[in-house]
Amino acid sequence: LKWHPDKNPDNKEAAQKKFMEISHAYEVLSDLSKKKQKYDRYGEDGLNEQQGGGGGGQDPFEMFRAFFGGGGGGRGGGSQFFQGGGGPGGGMKFQFGGGGFPGGGGGGQAGRSPQGRKDLFKDTPGVKELSTKSWKEDMEESASRRNIVVLFYESNLGEMEEVQEAFTTFVSKLVQGSALVEAGAVNCGRYEGLCHKQGARKLPFIKYYGPEGQQPSKFQGGAITYHSLSTWLPKVMADYVKVIVTERDLRRWLPTDDKAPHVLFFSDKKTTPPILKTLSIEFRERAAVGVVLLGSEELAKKLGVTKRPALVYIQDEETLTGEHFDKEFKKD
């Protein structure tokens, strides 16, 4: 490792500090939700307090910013748009695996009402009530790393109480808790023109907006419940993660962008983890993110990965060598 103290005999104190920062950053991969919320609210001291004065660390987004620069700014797991409040998280853990999303729900949708101007989400942590003005600022002028789910509603719709509860739970778990996306809401009782422009003619209406150039995806999963939303989201999220199966795949991928560092995650699951999709969006054009799913053992052996999950920062395309981070991450 570049910053290991043994490789920096002339400046051991600075090297030791940098090495600890690197190790610290990767420890957060064991338990994103709890550590992320602690970091967002209380910073590094809060994380150290949580672990009795030792351990702790930054969330994966802070880790990537430290190594590869940029990111959206704002809070650790979010995009460049806006920051929600500090409400409770949903208890989801960060893993390299592909699970974490329960099954869907069914049902129908009701039409809109002529009234309903009350803003239902102005005090909901993690949700920004969008107006015509803020839509332009937050959604159109900051679209390169856009990653957001938006609910269009009127406050007096017959099913709005259930929808509000479902969306609030969704935000608590997948926005505040797991930091997969941002969340916004548009009150169509006040901004009818904006809603019509976005195709929200039958309310409630939900749409996912990825980065500029990706077609937005509307929710079509029946009744709006937490289960149906959490099943829908990973299917429609923007995804710039390259799935690598063989050494040949890897050697084809590495030269694709000489300006971006290539980071390869070895997952212990068979599908791409949604959190990697989020990382690939936020660090698009700054870091190339690849994933080796469960079953590609020859490639793992080639790169010296003996246990999963693990991360390899490939620095030499010819020899496929680089920095390995394969601590024993917690699975709970």
Side-chain angles (χ1 to χ4, degrees), residues 12-279:
K12 279 199 169 186
E13 184 175 349
Q16 177 71 24
K17 182 178 180 181
K18 186 66 176 179
F19 183 73
M20 292 303 295
E21 288 176 358
I22 294 171
S23 300
H24 214 189
Y26 279 87
E27 287 181 2
V28 78
L29 299 176
S30 65
D31 187 356
L32 170 68
S33 61
K34 289 183 180 178
K35 292 180 182 177
K36 182 197 176 305
Q37 292 172 57
K38 199 86 171 182
Y39 185 85
D40 283 347
R41 294 186 191 181
Y42 308 116
E44 189 75 9
D45 291 341
L47 287 172
N48 289 337
E49 179 183 353
Q50 177 186 9
Q51 304 225 348
Q58 305 166 49
D59 65 41
F61 300 88
E62 294 298 334
M63 172 193 76
F64 265 60
R65 288 189 189 103
F67 285 105
F68 311 128
R75 65 191 179 97
S79 72
Q80 62 190 15
F81 302 121
F82 40 78
Q83 177 176 354
M92 289 188 66
K93 312 288 185 180
F94 169 62
Q95 299 179 357
F96 287 107
F101 291 91
Q109 294 188 25
R112 61 184 302 174
S113 302
Q115 304 293 327
R117 296 174 58 85
K118 181 180 179 182
D119 290 336
L120 297 181
F121 297 95
K122 64 180 181 179
D123 297 320
T124 302
V127 182
K128 180 171 182 179
E129 286 275 3
L130 294 162
S131 64
T132 302
K133 179 181 179 180
S134 63
W135 182 276
K136 182 177 180 180
E137 295 171 350
D138 294 330
M139 298 289 288
E140 296 176 0
E141 296 176 358
S142 302
S144 62
R145 292 178 186 84
R146 184 173 55 202
N147 181 34
I148 182 172
V149 173
V150 180
L151 168 65
F152 299 84
Y153 72 94
E154 283 182 350
S155 60
N156 66 342
L157 293 173
E159 73 275 42
M160 201 57 219
E161 184 175 348
E162 291 79 10
V163 170
Q164 183 178 6
E165 180 180 356
F167 195 65
T168 299
T169 302
F170 172 83
V171 170
S172 175
K173 293 189 176 184
L174 303 188
V175 178
Q176 295 289 100
S178 295
L180 294 182
V181 292
E182 297 286 345
V186 177
N187 185 344
C188 296
R190 300 179 62 188
Y191 305 106
E192 184 175 359
L194 174 59
C195 294
H196 278 201
K197 185 177 180 180
Q198 297 304 315
R201 290 176 172 81
K202 187 176 181 181
L203 304 178
F205 180 85
I206 291 180
K207 220 172 189 180
Y208 168 79
Y209 296 83
E212 189 174 15
Q214 173 167 316
Q215 187 72 18
S217 298
K218 60 182 179 181
F219 174 76
Q220 295 177 312
I224 296 174
T225 67
Y226 165 67
H227 295 286
S228 60
L229 290 175
S230 60
T231 300
W232 164 76
L233 175 63
K235 296 177 182 178
V236 301
M237 283 182 69
D239 182 2
Y240 301 101
V241 181
K242 176 66 176 178
V243 177
I244 306 294
V245 179
T246 66
E247 181 181 341
R248 185 179 181 182
D249 294 338
L250 180 59
R251 292 191 180 277
R252 285 180 174 178
W253 173 61
L254 290 174
T256 54
D257 188 348
D258 291 335
K259 296 181 180 180
H262 286 67
V263 182
L264 195 59
F265 290 85
F266 284 79
S267 174
D268 57 359
K269 302 295 181 181
K270 295 183 178 181
T271 57
T272 301
I275 193 68
L276 290 189
K277 297 180 183 180
T278 306
L279 282 167

Side-chain angles (χ1 to χ4, degrees), residues 247 250 264 266 292 296-314 319-327:
E247 181 181 341
L250 180 59
L264 195 59
F266 284 79
V292 180
S296 303
E297 301 310 319
E298 289 187 11
L299 186 55
K301 184 178 179 180
K302 176 73 177 180
L303 270 66
V305 174
T306 58
K307 60 183 179 180
R308 301 177 186 233
L311 180 151
V312 179
Y313 173 18
I314 298 175
T319 63
L320 300 182
T321 56
E323 298 186 16
H324 284 228
F325 300 86
D326 56 0
K327 291 187 176 184

